[in-house]
């Protein structure tokens, strides 16, 4: 076991009295303070803990008020904040926790945006209610006739204000840079709400109440979204369309691309969460050929609870690539060094995906069954 000292140098101004405690993936995000309580000292607080070496920690600070209400740390505008991440080494050490504020019941939070917002937003009818479509095209262009990228988790891909935890993919900046290099595209990003697990997971699991809605979602993309985009921006041949997403969004991308092989020519399968229903997608995809489809498949090397488990995730990603190669035209495997399962990692890898997709449309930089390592410096706008 390694000895860690979690140190909060200064609590956010106005922090009320109550029990400060640490939670995270290692505790199943429990709100029970027992065993993980901070001791307040001056303006800050401190917690000493023993954690197994090799653990990949994602943690947050919570506060239990005297009346039993539990608050979680947030950003300075009262929105959700990303987790603090740490690889536990044998020698342990001091791990500072910079708290910006506490979450408030404000929806959406009043956080500003650092990144480029979309050019337009649509609201289209869908079986689950109104569907927000966030649209982007390059400066100086009207978006017509461009290759089309449909992205899941559209609330997270452009500006930070509507994001889940204050981090975005910076998709507009990445796409503008490619446009200026001669490879423009149109992006249609589909926002999602609390029904994400139902809409993106095609197999029955507890998170979707054993009532999957991925087929309904993919049907809507084909019968409603694509015709609406065609009417506004002109027809785009399937070979020039891409579908992409991360985590469950990566799962529904893989599933949708193989389910309807003539709809999208490229799939961006980022950090796919393939575990639902005991890796059912691996069984389902057997024999489902999509011979004209190119697949970008990526994974970070810190996407698990321990270093060993993360290495296993990378191995499973390579196994998935090997299963895909006989079914599709091309597979590009990218492993993000030092990348966790979060928006910061997907922002770092997104420019590499865009470059590979768009240049591949012209026959350039096509690498067949290939692999590369990615890090935030070489492929990202900001680490």
């Amino acid at each position: 076991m390694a000895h860690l000292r979690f140190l909060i140098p200064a609590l956010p101004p106005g922090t009320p009295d109550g029990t400060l405690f640490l939670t995270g993936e290692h505790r199943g995000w429990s709100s029970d303070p027992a065993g993980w309580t901070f001791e307040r000292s001056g303006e800050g607080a401190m917690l000493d803990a023993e954690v197994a070496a090799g653990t990949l920690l994602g943690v947050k600070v919570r506060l239990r008020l005297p009346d039993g209400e539990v608050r979680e740390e947030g950003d300075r505008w009262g929105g959700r904040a990303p987790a603090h991440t740490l690889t536990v080494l044998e020698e342990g050490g001091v791990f500072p926790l910079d708290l910006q504020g506490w979450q408030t019941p404000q929806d959406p939070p009043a956080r500003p945006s650092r990144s480029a917002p979309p050019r337009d937003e649509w609201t289209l009818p869908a079986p689950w209610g109104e569907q927000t479509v966030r649209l982007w095209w390059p400066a100086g262009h009207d978006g017509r006739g461009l290759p089309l990228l449909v992205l899941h988790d559209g609330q997270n891909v452009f500006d930070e204000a509507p994001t889940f935890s204050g981090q975005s993919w910076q998709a507009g900046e990445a796409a503008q840079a490619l446009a200026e290099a001669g490879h423009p595209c149109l992006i249609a990003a589909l926002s999602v709400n609390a029904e994400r697990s139902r809409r993106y997971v095609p197999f029955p699991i507890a998170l979707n109440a054993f009532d999957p809605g991925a087929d309904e979602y993919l049907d809507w993309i084909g019968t409603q979204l694509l015709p609406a985009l065609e009417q506004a921006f002109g027809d785009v041949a399937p070979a020039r369309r891409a579908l992409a997403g991360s985590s469950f969004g990566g799962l529904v991308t893989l599933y949708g691309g193989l389910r309807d092989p003539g709809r999208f020519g490229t799939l961006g399968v980022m950090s796919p969460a393939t575990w639902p229903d005991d890796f059912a997608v691996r069984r389902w995809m057997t024999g489902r050929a999509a011979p004209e489809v190119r697949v970008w498949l990526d994974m970070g090397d810190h996407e698990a609870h321990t270093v060993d488990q993360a290495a296993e995730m990378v191995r499973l990603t390579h196994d998935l690539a090997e299963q895909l190669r006989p079914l599709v035209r091309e597979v590009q495997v990218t492993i993000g060094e030092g990348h966790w399962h979060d928006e910061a990692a997907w922002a770092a890898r997104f420019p590499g995906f865009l470059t590979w997709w768009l240049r591949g449309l012209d026959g350039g930089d096509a690498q067949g069954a290939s692999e590369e390592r990615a890090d935030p410096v070489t492929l990202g706008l900001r680490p």
Side-chain angles (χ1 to χ4, degrees), residues 95-134:
F95 185 43
L97 301 172
D98 180 21
L99 273 59
Q100 298 294 311
W102 299 100
Q103 289 186 45
T104 58
Q106 183 178 358
D107 187 23
R111 71 167 70 96
S113 292
R114 304 183 306 273
S115 303
R119 307 284 185 200
D120 196 8
E121 288 194 7
W122 293 351
T123 300
L124 298 180
W128 48 86
E130 294 183 338
Q131 172 64 55
T132 300
V133 183
R134 312 186 81 213

Side-chain angles (χ1 to χ4, degrees), residues 48-66:
D48 288 318
E50 302 293 324
V51 181
T55 301
L56 298 174
L57 284 179
V59 299
K60 291 186 180 182
V61 177
R62 288 181 180 166
L63 175 66
R64 182 180 290 276
L65 301 178

